[in-house]
Amino acid sequence: MKCSVIFASANEVIELIMKIIHLSDLHIGKMVNRISMLEEQRNAFNQITGYVKKEKPDAVIIAGDIYDRSAPGADAVCLFDDFLTELANEDTAVMIVSGNHDSPERIGYASRLLLDKNIYLCGAFNGTLENIVLTDEYGEVNFWLLPFIKPIYVRQLLKENETDNYEAALRAVLKTANIDYSSRNVLLSHQFYTKNGISPVRSESEMNPVGGLDAIDAGLIKNFDYAALGHLHGAQSAGSAHIRYAGSPIKYSFSEWQHKKSASLVELNKKGSLKITELPLTPLRDMREIKGTIDEIMKTEASEDYMRIILTDEEEIIDPVGKLRSIFPNLMSLDFENSRSCLDTIINNTEIPEKLSPYDLFMDFFLNTQGSAMTERQAEIVRELLETEIET
């Protein structure tokens, strides 16, 4: 915890309240329509470190999905290393939990060594909630770190038979912590929390299990002073203002093109007092969607933004992609909407530099069907099987 020396006049009252910057769903290394988002991610991280220098928070907390894949590429790992190093150079605690896209083992790597740098990495749930305590003028604030959990893992660790769904699993985990809710408590968690009667804002780039099987009643965590959530890519609350998804720092699908991306600045005062401010994040290139005839769109201002264009022309158009890319070089998606077709996608970034490898294809398949990334051991088995297949 930082130690600050503040000089004030006799009549000036200065409150040393707890300040937190809440982030989530970085998805470092993500490709959108086969275009790498690394440059956009670095730009967002630079803005976040600028906010850290300005606001001087006591903690930066990141609620999961650090990487987009459980086995991230070298460039993604290097970018996260740069970001984490920048944060470590500031006088702030950094707390990170893994999400369903992450490999828990990778996120937790060197966690004990990094404690001296005030960096707390919680990759895998080991049977107990990790607890970090910071203090301000009102006393202690307990931070509870909960990485992404699945019912089967909780059942094995806690020997609980009644954990056959995500909600029961969370209830069992919270029970083990014996939390004193009369004190101030902050939960850092990557799960799908919902409130009955309220439909969350979902994005195409999120994991969407069939029938919402992973949904957890947000009422289970209502007694925390602040619940810092990850998983949904749009910044929003889960029924109550203090139960909040920070959202992703950049847009990862055209379903998010109207989102205003931000980092959440949370100020904890005395028990029961909370202030949340959205710190805007400006992209290098925005993600936009426009609709109209090709003649109308060709008259618009040229832009390097990532574009989805919907053409409403009734007649056939010769080389629409080439024409549109003359003013929109980062055209990602082109669709037709007319009387012949309600909505017909004719390209989805035609410039595909490489096909995905069999390993990457299976990683995507596993993630989409199971709702979480493969473990290190599972990934190793798949690689061995694929290598054997290639040899034969």
Side-chain angles (χ1 to χ4, degrees):
M1 181 65 186
K2 62 171 67 103
C3 179
S4 301
V5 178
I6 300 177
F7 298 91
S9 66
N11 296 324
E12 186 178 357
V13 177
I14 295 180
E15 294 183 324
L16 301 180
I17 60 175
M18 185 69 60
K19 295 178 72 173
I20 305 161
I21 289 183
H22 169 201
L23 311 168
S24 75
D25 296 271
L26 309 183
H27 287 278
I28 304 175
K30 187 173 182 63
M31 306 279 286
V32 179
N33 292 45
R34 310 299 184 188
I35 294 178
S36 170
M37 292 290 105
L38 281 172
E39 187 181 7
E40 290 290 343
Q41 289 166 337
R42 185 179 294 278
N43 171 65
F45 297 162
N46 287 341
Q47 292 177 67
I48 291 167
T49 54
Y51 283 129
V52 172
K53 294 176 187 295
K54 177 183 177 180
E55 299 292 343
K56 302 187 184 305
D58 299 280
V60 175
I61 57 179
I62 309 178
D65 280 357
I66 308 305
Y67 295 112
D68 193 54
R69 296 178 180 274
S70 63
D75 49 3
V77 175
C78 288
L79 177 54
F80 184 52
D81 179 62
D82 290 343
F83 183 42
L84 198 57
T85 300
E86 287 290 326
L87 294 178
N89 289 334
E90 301 302 318
D91 189 17
T92 183
V94 180
M95 305 178 197
I96 299 170
V97 298
S98 64
N100 58 304
H101 276 251
D102 296 313
S103 162
E105 295 82 4
R106 277 189 169 84
I107 297 301
Y109 176 74
S111 57
R112 286 172 291 180
L113 292 175
L114 290 172
L115 291 177
D116 289 341
K117 291 290 186 179
N118 221 14
I119 296 175
Y120 305 91
L121 305 175
C122 188
F125 176 66
N126 62 8
T128 58
L129 272 179
E130 185 172 344
N131 178 217
I132 310 300
V133 181
L134 301 182
T135 59
D136 62 10
E137 72 168 62
Y138 295 104
E140 295 183 344
V141 177
N142 291 281
F143 290 80
W144 301 93
L145 278 52
L146 177 60
F148 177 72
I149 57 171
K150 297 183 78 172
I152 187 172
Y153 300 147
V154 173
R155 187 160 58 247
Q156 292 170 348
L157 285 167
L158 302 184
K159 309 302 180 185
E160 290 272 359
N161 295 324
E162 302 300 324
T163 55
D164 56 347
N165 59 63
Y166 282 85
E167 191 169 301
L170 177 70
R171 189 178 289 106
V173 168
L174 293 177
K175 184 179 178 181
T176 67
N178 194 27
I179 299 170
D180 178 8
Y181 288 108
S182 66
S183 300
R184 290 177 297 165
N185 295 282
V186 174
L187 175 67
L188 183 58
S189 175
H190 187 100
Q191 302 286 158
F192 180 32
Y193 295 93
T194 62
K195 183 70 173 176
N196 287 337
I198 300 177
S199 298
V201 178
R202 303 301 303 265
S203 301
E204 292 174 358
S205 55
E206 300 162 5
M207 191 67 60
N208 292 304
V210 177
L213 296 177
D214 60 345
I216 298 173
D217 179 10
L220 290 181
I221 55 175
K222 66 180 181 180
N223 290 329
F224 285 92
D225 294 85
Y226 183 70
L229 308 182
H231 188 56
L232 300 190
H233 289 185
Q236 60 193 288
S237 64
S240 301
H242 72 292
I243 303 175
R244 180 174 176 80
Y245 293 98
S248 60
I250 68 173
K251 300 173 184 179
Y252 287 128
S253 72
F254 282 102
S255 63
E256 302 170 38
W257 76 276
Q258 292 182 310
H259 288 190
K260 300 296 183 183
K261 298 300 183 179
S262 63
S264 296
L265 175 64
V266 182
E267 297 174 88
L268 277 177
N269 207 304
K270 59 185 177 180
K271 181 75 175 177
S273 179
L274 178 72
K275 179 182 178 182
I276 301 172
T277 305
E278 291 188 353
L279 306 174
L281 298 173
T282 304
L284 289 173
R285 302 176 187 87
D286 202 358
M287 187 174 286
R288 296 191 291 127
E289 178 181 298
I290 56 175
K291 181 195 293 189
T293 66
I294 194 164
D295 289 339
E296 292 169 340
I297 291 174
M298 292 297 291
K299 293 176 183 178
T300 60
E301 184 178 354
S303 173
E304 292 191 357
D305 286 347
Y306 304 112
M307 302 297 298
R308 180 190 185 216
I309 296 176
I310 303 172
L311 294 180
T312 58
D313 299 80
E314 292 292 337
E315 68 276 5
E316 295 291 337
I317 302 172
I318 298 174
D319 189 23
V321 176
K323 291 177 180 177
L324 291 168
R325 281 212 167 118
S326 67
I327 58 173
F328 300 116
N330 290 311
L331 174 65
M332 279 188 170
S333 179
L334 174 59
D335 305 303
F336 265 93
E337 186 177 295
N338 51 38
S339 61
R340 289 170 293 151
S341 174
C342 180
L343 184 61
D344 182 26
T345 300
I346 64 170
I347 72 159
N348 196 343
N349 187 25
T350 58
E351 297 177 354
I352 300 176
E354 294 179 358
K355 291 183 178 180
L356 291 177
S357 68
Y359 176 75
D360 286 334
L361 286 170
F362 189 84
M363 292 274 286
D364 280 341
F365 171 76
F366 188 95
L367 190 60
N368 286 321
T369 57
Q370 300 300 313
S372 62
M374 286 189 290
T375 65
E376 290 288 297
R377 179 55 184 157
Q378 288 170 331
E380 181 182 349
I381 292 171
V382 171
R383 283 192 292 266
E384 290 175 353
L385 289 173
L386 289 172
E387 288 171 1
T388 301
E389 182 67 21
I390 292 171
E391 290 173 358
T392 56

